[in-house]
Amino acid sequence: MHTPTSPSPTTAVKRERRKEARPGELIEAALELFVEKGFAATRVDEVAARAGVSKGTLFLYFSSKEELFKAVVRENIAGRFAEWTLELDAFEGNTDDLLRYCYKVWWERIGNTKASGITKLMLSEAHHFPEITQFYQREVMGPGQALIRRILQRGVDRKEIRPLDMDYAVYLVLAPMMFLMLWKHSMGACVPDALDLDPEKYLAMQADNILHGLYTAAPASVTPSA
């Protein structure tokens, strides 16, 4: 009579590790498909297949496509605001240094990654999905604007830039970032050389323009980028 053998300890550990990795694998697969196809056109069975699991397994971790999307946003963008806030609190340079640093870090961590496609998705489909739009406003747009407001207010408090209407000034900083995300996931995705655009040089030039506009008299440290 054949007696079933129990899984070896090594096999059990591997299975447990695989189980722990599944949410991350599903989130990564979902990010790719949401950016490629949009929210409405992405099906949960496609996400499961790309992650190498069954549709039923996906629902063990995420109760709906909306909850999966929220997990994608939190993992790739919203969950990073605490880290960025700590960096801002610890930053010792002036406003010129800070704005340039923020643009550089944003491009490296968000703009030049798949996560930047989420913004284009939201602009394209927000009016069809009010629940995820409200979620995105609450967990991404609101905190993002608050962080930019802090950066600018820091400059005003240090008397490095002139007093501003912060409700509108935040969009001075946001506009170049929005443009790059839309370009990257529209024309840039199909015709990468259409604008012959170097994103890092573009952001440096935008920082020059913004800083020269905000300072009452540009200090010696504010020099045009090459």
Side-chain angles (χ1 to χ4, degrees), residues 23-35:
E25 292 168 354
L26 286 163
I27 287 171
E28 177 62 25
L31 172 62
E32 293 174 357
L33 284 163
F34 285 140
V35 172

Side-chain angles (χ1 to χ4, degrees), residues 74 77-90 109 139 143-144 147 150:
R74 286 177 176 137
I77 305 176
R80 309 188 77 167
F81 280 112
E83 165 195 350
W84 295 331
T85 297
L86 288 174
E87 287 188 54
L88 174 57
D89 290 341
R109 300 180 191 176
E139 299 209 13
L147 193 62
R150 279 195 61 200

Side-chain angles (χ1 to χ4, degrees), residues 26 42-49 54-55 58-59 64-65 68:
L26 286 163
T42 296
R43 304 195 312 272
V44 290
D45 54 336
E46 293 178 295
V47 175
S54 69
K55 182 178 177 180
L58 183 150
F59 283 120
S64 65
K65 185 167 73 168
L68 177 59

